[in-house]
Amino acid sequence: MSTIRVVWGTASGPTAMSSYDAALADAGVENYNLVSVSSVIPAETYVEAVGTAPDLGPAGERLTVVEARATTAGPGRASAALAWSQSVDDGPGLFYETSGEMDREDVERRVREGLAAGQELRDWEFTEPRVAIESHQAESGRYTTAVVLAVYGESDPIL
């Protein structure tokens, strides 16, 4: 059975990109080239919320992810959420991601609504949804990024 790990992080920095890089480091995926995919979970896949990724291979390799990402300049709040649900029979499932300058309650409500809408489009019987949320207040004059990522397996060579 394949594994997808859900990881998350927040960080602040002097630029938007530096805060994003530091948030990826907080999640343990800063040394990979991230390739975003849409939000379908393959059948017979185990999804595990781990917080920080383990070693997933050599630096510079490609890592397939579904990513929720929000960056804001302070003062403000950056929030990112990822919700998921799988078929009850080890069939496929869905991720749904939402992010923006909103509070924790708003991002959770929106990600749950989005996942429910995606579920309605499919003829699958789903398990109860799970949600991972990162939300952080940005200080004035600093950038803050919140990320939640679903990391598919381990890294692959990019060249």
Side-chain angles (χ1 to χ4, degrees):
M1 188 173 272
S2 300
T3 300
I4 296 174
R5 294 170 186 87
V6 178
V7 300
W8 52 84
T10 59
S12 296
T15 66
M17 186 55 73
S18 68
S19 73
Y20 175 56
D21 192 30
L24 292 177
D26 193 35
V29 294
E30 74 278 16
N31 291 327
Y32 302 100
N33 289 296
L34 306 181
V35 178
S36 292
V37 295
S38 62
S39 303
V40 177
I41 301 168
E44 298 183 17
T45 300
Y46 177 65
V47 179
E48 177 182 29
V50 298
T52 303
D55 181 3
L56 298 172
E61 289 196 337
R62 174 180 37 239
L63 198 58
T64 302
V65 301
V66 173
E67 179 181 35
R69 168 188 176 185
T71 300
T72 190
R77 176 168 285 279
S79 297
L82 189 71
W84 67 96
S85 183
Q86 294 175 264
S87 298
V88 295
D89 58 358
D90 284 333
L94 290 176
F95 284 113
Y96 193 87
E97 63 274 13
T98 298
S99 57
E101 293 184 42
M102 61 187 93
D103 64 29
R104 185 178 199 87
E105 294 76 22
D106 283 344
V107 77
E108 181 174 2
R109 179 183 52 77
R110 290 179 186 185
V111 79
R112 286 183 182 276
E113 288 173 352
L115 180 62
Q119 289 173 320
E120 288 176 15
L121 295 173
R122 289 157 177 89
D123 293 328
W124 307 334
E125 185 179 343
F126 287 94
T127 60
E128 282 297 310
R130 297 185 61 197
V131 177
I133 301 168
E134 268 299 86
S135 184
H136 195 76
Q137 184 69 37
E139 296 176 18
S140 183
R142 303 275 291 168
Y143 289 88
T144 295
T145 297
V147 296
V148 183
L149 304 100
V151 179
Y152 286 59
E154 296 192 359
S155 66
D156 295 309
I158 200 164
L159 294 174

